[in-house]
Amino acid sequence: MFNLFKWFKCFKKSGQSKETAKKRLQITLLYDKLEISKDILDDLNQEIIEVISRYFMIDKNALTLDFRKAHHEHLSVLTVNTPILGSKLKKAGS
Amino acid sequence: MPGRIIVITSGKGGVGKTTATFNIGAGLAVKGNRVVVIDMDIGLRNLDIVMGLENRIVFTIVDAINGRCRIKQALIKNRKFDNLYLIPASQSDNKDALTPESVIKLCENLRKEFDFILIDCPAGIEQGFVNSVSAADEAIVVCTPEVTSIRDADRVIGLLYSRQITPKLLINRIVPEMVAKRDMLNHKDVLEFLSIELIGLVPMEEQVIICTNNGIPLVTRKASKAGEAFLRVAMRINGDSNLPIEVPKNHKSFWDKIGVRLKKK
Ligand SMILES: Nc1ncnc2c1ncn2[C@@H]1O[C@H](COP(=O)(O)OP(=O)(O)OP(=O)(O)O)[C@@H](O)[C@H]1O
Ligand SMILES: [Mg+2]
C-alpha cells in the first residue's frame, strides 16, 4: 500500500526525476565509501548533539552532518554545522 | 618520445568504452598519430567487429603474449586509416590467460613504435580490469548520466587513484531533451559526484548504431555530433587542451519545433 503511494508520487513528479536520482546517489556513494548505514549516521548525529549540548545551547534540529569526499587525498571529510544559540554557564569548580 | 598508454574503463558494462576507444583512436590517427587500440575483453571481444575488422583476425593478444606469434603479426591494420592498428582479444581463452606483468611488457614494446596505445578495458573490476590498468599511464573513465553508471564510475575512480592514476571523465549517451526536462542528470550534476576533470560530452545518437552496423568510425562523419565530440576528445588528448567542451544541445531547431507544434494543431 505504501509502495503504491510512492509510485503515485513518482508519476505526479514526472519530469523531474533527476532530483530523486541526485538524492539517492548522494547517500549511496557515501555509504559505499564509508560502509556505514543510515542507522549509524543517525546515532552519530545524536551523540554529537549530546556532546555539543554540554558546552553550548544549540538548535538540535538545525544541526547537520555533511560528508564530502576528497578523492585526491583518499579522504572523506565530515563537517558538523550548527548554529550556536549561546554558551552554557561554566560549571562551578571548573 | 615513447608513446602514451591510455586505458578506457568504466566499471559498468555497456556504457560506451569500445565505441569510445575506436573513435578516440581514429581521431588521434586522423590527426597524424600512430595509434594502436587493444581489446582486453578476453573471451568477449568486440572492438574488432566495431572496427569492421572481424574477418581479418589471425593472431590475438594472447598469442602475442604467449609467444605464439610476434607482436607485429597480431597487429591488424585498419584499411581506412594508415596509422590505426588493432590488437584483438582472443575469444577462446579466459581472462586468466594474461597477467599484469605480461601486459606491461607488451605495452612497453608497443610504445616504442606507436604514439598512442589505447586499451579497451572489460567491464567489472576483476582480473581483466587489473590487467588493463596495470600498464596504463593515463585513464579515461566513461560513464552515462545514470545512477548505476555513476556509482560504478565512482568506485573505479577510487581504484585508479590508488594506482596513482588521475583519470579524466567522458560522459556518454547524453539525451539533451531529457536533460532539459530535468529527467536526466546534466554534466554538472555528474561532476558533483565524480569530481574529476572532464574530457568530453557525447550525445546519444542514431549514427553510433549505424556506424557500428557498418564497422566504420563516427569521427569522419560530418553529420554526427557524437563523432564530433569524440574527435574533440582526441584533439584534447593530442594536446589541444584549450579546446572548449561542447555541451550537447537539443538538436531540434527552432523551425522543427514550430513544425511539430503546427502539426499537433
Ligand atoms: N553515444 C551513443 N549513442 C547511441 N548508442 C551508443 C552510444 N554509445 C554507445 N552506444 C551503444 O551502446 C552499446 C554499448 O556500447 P559499447 O559496446 O561501446 O559499450 P562498452 O562499454 O564497450 O560495453 P562492454 O562493457 O560490454 O564492453 C552499443 O550498442 C553502442 O552502439
Ligand atoms: Mg566493450
Side-chain angles (χ1 to χ4, degrees), chain B residues 17-18 41 46 120-121:
Chain B
K17 294 177 292 295
T18 301
D41 209 340
N46 266 169
D120 182 13
C121 181

Side-chain angles (χ1 to χ4, degrees), chain B residues 15-262:
Chain B
V15 298
K17 294 177 292 295
T18 301
T19 308
T21 306
F22 176 31
N23 283 289
I24 295 170
L28 285 166
V30 165
K31 296 288 162 193
N33 296 285
R34 284 176 58 78
V35 182
V36 57
V37 292
I38 306 179
D39 190 348
M40 287 290 283
D41 209 340
I42 312 296
L44 278 176
R45 69 179 172 212
N46 266 169
L47 192 52
D48 57 329
I49 197 163
V50 169
M51 293 176 76
L53 301 173
E54 69 278 12
N55 293 324
R56 300 191 31 216
I57 298 176
V58 181
F59 294 110
T60 67
I61 182 169
V62 179
D63 297 321
I65 280 181
N66 292 345
R68 287 193 289 248
C69 72
R70 282 177 290 121
I71 296 176
K72 278 224 166 80
Q73 291 176 292
L75 289 167
I76 305 173
K77 189 171 163 175
N78 198 304
R79 281 205 202 89
K80 287 138 205 148
F81 301 93
D82 279 346
N83 40 5
L84 178 62
Y85 291 80
L86 163 72
I87 297 184
S90 132
Q91 197 68 312
S92 50
D93 297 279
N94 64 29
K95 289 193 163 113
D96 312 327
L98 304 178
T99 62
E101 294 73 29
S102 63
V103 177
I104 292 172
K105 203 173 148 215
L106 174 78
C107 289
E108 288 305 321
N109 274 314
L110 289 169
R111 85 190 320 167
K112 294 176 200 155
E113 305 285 329
F114 290 92
D115 301 313
F116 288 97
I117 296 120
L118 303 186
I119 301 175
D120 182 13
C121 181
I125 51 173
E126 294 95 28
Q127 187 65 42
F129 170 80
V130 176
N131 288 340
S132 302
V133 298
S134 316
D137 314 309
E138 303 165 50
I140 294 176
V141 171
V142 182
C143 82
T144 65
E146 289 172 81
V147 289
T148 44
S149 168
I150 293 168
R151 184 191 204 178
D152 292 2
D154 181 65
R155 180 97 173 84
V156 161
I157 289 167
L159 293 172
L160 289 166
Y161 270 116
S162 67
R163 291 173 171 271
Q164 272 75 49
I165 299 176
T166 303
K168 293 186 178 162
L169 186 69
L170 191 161
I171 308 177
N172 186 25
R173 287 172 159 271
I174 297 170
V175 185
E177 293 81 0
M178 290 189 76
V179 172
K181 274 198 291 179
R182 302 175 71 77
D183 265 331
M184 182 178 271
L185 301 183
N186 64 34
H187 68 282
K188 287 183 191 143
D189 297 323
V190 177
L191 286 171
E192 262 177 48
F193 295 110
L194 310 175
S195 37
I196 60 174
E197 189 185 325
L198 192 63
I199 197 160
L201 301 172
V202 181
M204 178 94 120
E205 196 181 81
E206 286 179 7
Q207 282 296 323
V208 178
I209 293 158
I210 295 170
C211 283
T212 309
N213 285 343
N214 292 322
I216 58 170
L218 287 153
V219 289
T220 47
R221 296 232 138 187
K222 283 262 150 50
S224 169
K225 288 279 172 204
E228 205 177 286
F230 279 125
L231 183 64
R232 293 166 73 87
V233 172
M235 288 163 74
R236 251 169 240 127
I237 294 172
N238 199 29
D240 225 335
S241 50
N242 290 329
L243 196 67
I245 290 178
E246 275 184 13
V247 182
K249 282 193 213 67
N250 227 326
H251 61 261
K252 274 191 190 141
S253 73
F254 176 71
W255 295 111
D256 287 341
K257 279 185 196 158
I258 298 264
V260 171
R261 287 222 175 146
L262 289 178

